[in-house]
Amino acid sequence: MWLVYKKELLELVRDKKTLIFSILLPTIIVPLFMFGFIKFASSKAQEVRDKEIKVAVINAESLPDFSDIFSKEKKFELVTLEDSNYEQAIKDEKVDFVLEIPQTIQAPAQSLKQETVALYYKGSSNLDNIAMRRLESALDIYNKNQRKALGDKFGLSNDNVVAFTKPIAIDKNNFASKREKSGEAIGSFIAYILILLAVSGAMYPALELGVGEKERGTLETLLLTPMKKWQIVVAKFGVIFTTSFLSIVMVLASYFIWSLILGFGAMLKSMGAGDVIESISGMDMFLIGSMLLPVTAIFAALMLIASIYAKNMKEAQAYMSPIMMFAFFPVLIALLPGMELNWKTAMVPITNVSLAMKDLLKGTIDYGLLGMIFFSTLIIAGVLLYFTTQFFKKESVLFRS
Amino acid sequence: MIEIKDLAKTFAYDKKEAKQRKKKVITDPREGAGVFHAVRDVSFKCEQGKVLGLLGPNGAGKTTTLRMLSTALEPTAGQILINGHDVTKEPLYAQKLIGFLSGKTGLYHRLTVQENVEYFGRMHGLGKDELASRIDQIFTMLDMHSFAGKRADDLSTGMMQRASIARAVIHDPKVLVFDEPTTGLDVISAKTVLDFIESFKGSDKAVIFSTHHLHEVERLCDDVTLIDLGETKFNGTTAQFAALSDDGNLYDAFLKTVNDKEAA
């Protein structure tokens, strides 16, 4: 059995396709592409944050202090429009925002009522939203000044003005730790990624070791050797399991290394992952890895069954697609808002593992439930492996044509 | 010695196929209700030191018979005995004693020839020294030393077939089964293969040699078994088989045997 295991592993390592799809693609190409994309997106966002926003204030003389804020504030440029076709001017990028002040307007501190200024702009992307937020915070300066002037007019102190603006201020005291909060936000997502890697990592070696052997005629050669069929299955399962689990470890390690190389540590912190990463212990990592073991075993067995049953590669891939769906749905359930690990959700395979991983990252795991989930998942994996060995004994499966 | 007695193998159609077949007019006697009797009644015997030629048209049931013999398939009825041991009841015993080569038994393409042969030798329980000595002996006989380090996917058809033969005989089996071993080979490679098979004549091995090339039967085979429509049509010596034709050639004897059966 060990002989078959070593041989299968050697063949996979020598396969260029395996190296490309199982190692090169997930550990180098995908992270580089992903980090490149994130870097590009963040540099674009920074560009919008730093860029000089062009603002045109129409009838500025009606409300002199108003347009002054754009002269005083950094990174704003007051521009003058030659015609009244604002839409065309914005489309031609001559101006980003047009503020049209009514000719009869008075400052609110004088009219003692709310006044309206029309804003013209083109906002469709997140980058436009960043520019809008910058404009709004500049406008807040004018509003703040007006509130103060109104307060003075009515003999109100600053505190009175604040009370008018926001009668009740909420002083939030959240007992959830930072780790719990960020773990809740990213825990399910990390579990999703890990389980996804377990499924996709099992797919390619399963294709090679099952239907690949059928297509190349080596399966029949193997069946003629004095080795029990269950031993052949266990060896093949072992190789799929090993490569799948190793690919998860390698992918995680590669993302960690790439984030260090490309300086994404600070970005991860800004995304809220910092508290989880800093507070997660070696034991938590070990437990997350342990939960992944039976899950990987389940998908290794399922992929091997599909691959052995199929007549050719195309058919095998068709069978593997529903298995991928079978993996995704329970994980997606775990992503739903309000889903928590309890005795009920612990009964749902894969969903339970996903929720347990989230709780491990949050630091709120119930170890009794964790043990129950581990052993129940292990039993499912064992049953599936047994079923695979029985399946491999059927002539109608091995010589299906 | 290997003895095959009243061997039969029936395959069940899947539901869809069975439904489609119900609608067709079927003349093949091997078709049953939802099943196909690929082998109905095959018996023959191959003794130590002899080469038995297994003949039959395409689809006669030769490969199914050989697959049962090699333990890949289990017979529906009948017996396969090697030195008195029932292959079905003792498959591991049989697998140690049988060396099987067919067009469908491939090699691992990403392993070298040497690694392939070593792998199967070790699967059969050969020790390091014994394996090295067997490899040297077989590689010399089949003139394989020059490409022993090449990966199987870099081999020509002839090299591949010689490597497959080396794989099949590495464990020094007592029963050798060759299923069309010269198909697709050039004259030189075919000669190497045939010389190798011929070297087993008079040895301690029983050789079953399935082929469509009757000149190979003439050259190598002591006995002949002809199978058609899943049944043994002829069992006897090559000379007896040739005598079935008026002018004593195997080609006419083959056609006569098959045609006689079809007329019946």
Side-chain angles (χ1 to χ4, degrees):
Chain A
M1 195 157 76
W2 180 238
L3 194 62
V4 179
Y5 179 87
K6 280 198 295 184
K7 195 282 299 172
E8 301 285 14
L9 212 53
L10 176 68
E11 270 222 297
L12 275 181
V13 171
R14 281 189 185 168
D15 181 20
K16 280 181 192 158
K17 276 190 284 177
T18 306
L19 292 177
I20 292 169
F21 289 110
S22 302
I23 299 172
L24 200 67
L25 202 70
T27 60
I28 297 174
I29 297 169
V30 173
L32 272 181
F33 181 78
M34 201 187 90
F35 284 133
F37 176 78
I38 293 171
K39 191 110 186 162
F40 177 75
S42 64
S43 73
K44 284 301 278 185
Q46 192 58 44
E47 209 174 278
V48 176
R49 276 192 285 271
D50 293 342
K51 92 164 195 177
E52 203 154 66
I53 293 176
K54 291 180 213 161
V55 182
V57 181
I58 313 298
N59 302 325
E61 64 283 357
S62 306
L63 206 61
D65 297 346
F66 188 79
S67 58
D68 283 354
I69 54 173
F70 299 109
S71 325
K72 288 173 189 166
E73 275 298 298
K74 281 179 185 171
K75 296 177 187 172
F76 279 98
E77 184 191 353
L78 265 176
V79 295
T80 311
L81 288 186
E82 286 163 6
D83 61 52
S84 57
N85 190 346
Y86 309 147
E87 190 176 352
Q88 195 57 48
I90 290 168
K91 278 183 181 169
D92 293 345
E93 296 182 1
K94 288 178 184 164
V95 65
D96 298 304
F97 295 100
V98 177
L99 287 153
E100 191 180 47
I101 300 170
Q103 283 181 328
T104 55
I105 199 169
Q106 277 189 305
Q110 287 170 340
S111 68
L112 303 182
K113 63 183 179 71
Q114 189 180 52
E115 299 291 346
T116 303
V117 172
L119 173 67
Y120 300 90
Y121 68 104
K122 185 171 169 286
S124 57
S125 68
N126 285 335
L127 294 179
D128 296 329
N129 291 340
I130 295 172
M132 175 60 91
R133 278 198 295 275
R134 281 182 57 197
L135 180 86
E136 282 171 346
S137 59
L139 291 174
D140 268 353
I141 296 168
Y142 183 80
N143 279 333
K144 200 177 170 188
N145 292 340
Q146 284 298 304
R147 273 198 296 272
K148 191 173 182 306
L150 279 165
D152 291 344
K153 194 144 195 158
F154 290 104
L156 300 173
S157 68
N158 273 346
D159 287 345
N160 297 147
V161 172
V162 170
F164 264 105
T165 322
K166 199 170 187 180
I168 295 286
I170 304 295
D171 179 18
K172 290 180 182 171
N173 294 285
N174 189 347
F175 292 114
S177 66
K178 282 182 177 176
R179 179 181 173 181
E180 277 177 63
K181 284 185 274 180
S182 46
E184 178 67 33
I186 66 159
S188 301
F189 181 68
I190 287 177
Y192 176 83
I193 299 276
L194 291 175
I195 293 172
L196 178 78
L197 285 170
V199 185
S200 59
M203 195 169 158
Y204 186 74
L207 281 171
E208 275 294 300
L209 271 57
V211 72
E213 286 240 49
K214 266 190 185 180
E215 281 195 338
R216 289 187 296 272
T218 47
L219 185 64
E220 199 169 334
T221 317
L222 190 62
L223 292 173
L224 306 181
T225 56
M227 184 173 232
K228 288 180 178 147
K229 287 191 175 110
W230 71 262
Q231 290 177 312
I232 295 174
V233 172
V234 172
K236 283 181 179 293
F237 164 82
V239 173
I240 298 167
F241 173 79
T242 307
T243 49
S244 177
F245 195 74
L246 275 180
S247 77
I248 298 171
V249 174
M250 283 175 69
V251 168
L252 290 181
S254 82
Y255 275 72
F256 179 72
I257 292 165
W258 280 115
S259 66
L260 288 181
I261 292 171
L262 300 171
F264 278 89
M267 194 189 73
L268 285 172
K269 279 190 180 179
S270 72
M271 286 164 68
D275 298 312
V276 174
I277 293 165
E278 279 167 15
S279 50
I280 195 162
S281 68
M283 177 54 85
D284 294 331
M285 291 280 278
F286 171 76
L287 289 173
I288 289 170
S290 304
M291 293 307 289
L292 267 179
L293 286 171
V295 173
T296 310
I298 285 177
F299 291 113
L302 283 173
M303 291 292 184
L304 186 57
I305 289 171
S307 186
I308 289 170
Y309 184 69
K311 289 179 199 167
N312 49 50
M313 284 278 182
K314 200 176 164 190
E315 197 180 281
Q317 280 164 339
Y319 293 143
M320 285 176 179
S321 301
I323 297 174
M324 300 280 270
M325 299 296 285
F326 168 78
F328 291 149
F329 280 124
V331 182
L332 286 175
I333 291 171
L335 283 170
L336 292 173
M339 283 302 285
E340 281 182 356
L341 185 63
N342 51 44
W343 284 100
K344 276 184 188 170
T345 52
M347 299 296 165
V348 185
I350 311 297
T351 302
N352 54 12
V353 174
S354 186
L355 290 170
M357 283 183 188
K358 185 172 82 173
D359 277 9
L360 276 166
L361 287 165
K362 284 167 67 180
T364 56
I365 190 69
D366 175 334
Y367 287 97
L369 277 178
L370 186 77
M372 196 278 279
I373 293 167
F374 177 79
F375 286 109
S376 65
T377 314
L378 198 65
I379 289 167
I380 294 172
V383 169
L384 281 170
L385 180 59
Y386 173 75
F387 181 69
T388 316
T389 60
Q390 297 308 304
F391 205 57
F392 198 73
K393 289 178 184 168
K394 288 178 184 284
E395 286 174 5
S396 55
V397 171
L398 294 176
F399 297 97
R400 195 167 154 259
S401 61
Chain B
M1 186 184 75
I2 181 160
E3 192 176 5
I4 283 94
K5 289 182 185 172
D6 310 320
L7 204 62
K9 180 68 186 176
T10 300
F11 294 105
Y13 288 120
D14 60 36
K15 282 178 189 170
K16 193 180 164 191
E17 182 75 15
K19 219 173 184 179
Q20 283 175 344
R21 295 208 168 242
K22 262 189 180 176
K23 294 173 191 166
K24 290 179 185 169
V25 180
I26 297 198
T27 52
D28 192 329
R30 293 172 296 178
E31 293 281 358
V35 293
F36 182 74
H37 305 286
V39 173
R40 295 186 293 166
D41 184 11
V42 168
S43 300
F44 60 86
K45 197 193 293 184
C46 182
E47 287 172 6
Q48 196 175 299
K50 288 194 173 178
V51 178
L52 175 121
L54 190 64
L55 306 181
N58 286 332
K62 295 192 303 292
T63 299
T64 305
T65 301
L66 296 179
R67 274 181 172 169
M68 285 189 276
L69 212 144
S70 72
T71 71
L73 292 178
E74 202 172 314
T76 311
Q79 267 191 320
I80 303 163
L81 302 170
I82 298 178
N83 298 335
H85 293 264
D86 192 327
V87 165
T88 314
K89 288 177 186 158
E90 299 172 76
L92 291 182
Y93 172 83
Q95 280 156 352
K96 281 179 185 169
L97 289 184
I98 294 177
F100 188 89
L101 175 78
S102 81
K104 299 220 170 188
T105 46
L107 290 173
Y108 291 106
H109 284 212
R110 287 186 288 274
L111 297 188
T112 65
V113 171
Q114 174 106 10
E115 285 169 342
N116 261 293
V117 179
E118 272 178 1
Y119 173 62
F120 284 100
R122 292 188 65 191
M123 291 281 275
H124 280 93
L126 265 61
K128 203 178 174 185
D129 294 340
E130 191 185 1
L131 189 59
S133 142
R134 283 286 299 159
I135 285 176
D136 187 51
Q137 185 193 349
I138 296 165
F139 281 20
T140 305
M141 282 175 80
L142 289 168
D143 191 19
M144 289 173 56
H145 285 293
S146 60
F147 60 88
K150 269 192 175 182
R151 280 200 196 184
D153 53 5
D154 293 331
L155 302 180
S156 68
T157 313
M159 288 173 176
M160 180 77 95
Q161 192 65 327
R162 278 184 277 167
S164 294
I165 291 173
R167 188 275 304 157
V169 301
I170 185 65
H171 55 297
D172 196 19
K174 300 302 168 205
V175 177
L176 286 163
V177 182
F178 295 100
D179 188 6
E180 300 178 26
T182 56
T183 301
L185 298 189
D186 63 32
V187 176
I188 300 164
S189 298
K191 185 186 176 303
T192 312
V193 172
L194 293 175
D195 288 349
F196 185 70
I197 295 172
E198 198 168 27
S199 71
F200 296 118
K201 285 188 83 162
S203 71
D204 61 343
K205 300 179 199 317
V207 181
I208 297 170
F209 175 55
S210 163
T211 183
H212 288 295
H213 304 300
L214 296 174
H215 63 277
E216 292 175 353
V217 176
E218 201 160 25
R219 177 184 159 184
L220 290 177
C221 300
D222 303 290
D223 299 313
V224 166
T225 292
L226 191 143
I227 299 174
D228 194 21
L229 293 173
E231 290 178 333
T232 308
K233 190 66 190 170
F234 176 85
N235 259 334
T237 64
T238 308
Q240 285 168 342
F241 185 60
L244 291 177
S245 73
D246 297 335
D247 54 359
N249 78 66
L250 294 177
Y251 185 77
D252 288 340
F254 181 91
L255 288 178
K256 190 168 182 284
T257 313
V258 174
N259 286 339
D260 276 358
K261 180 264 312 153
E262 279 178 359

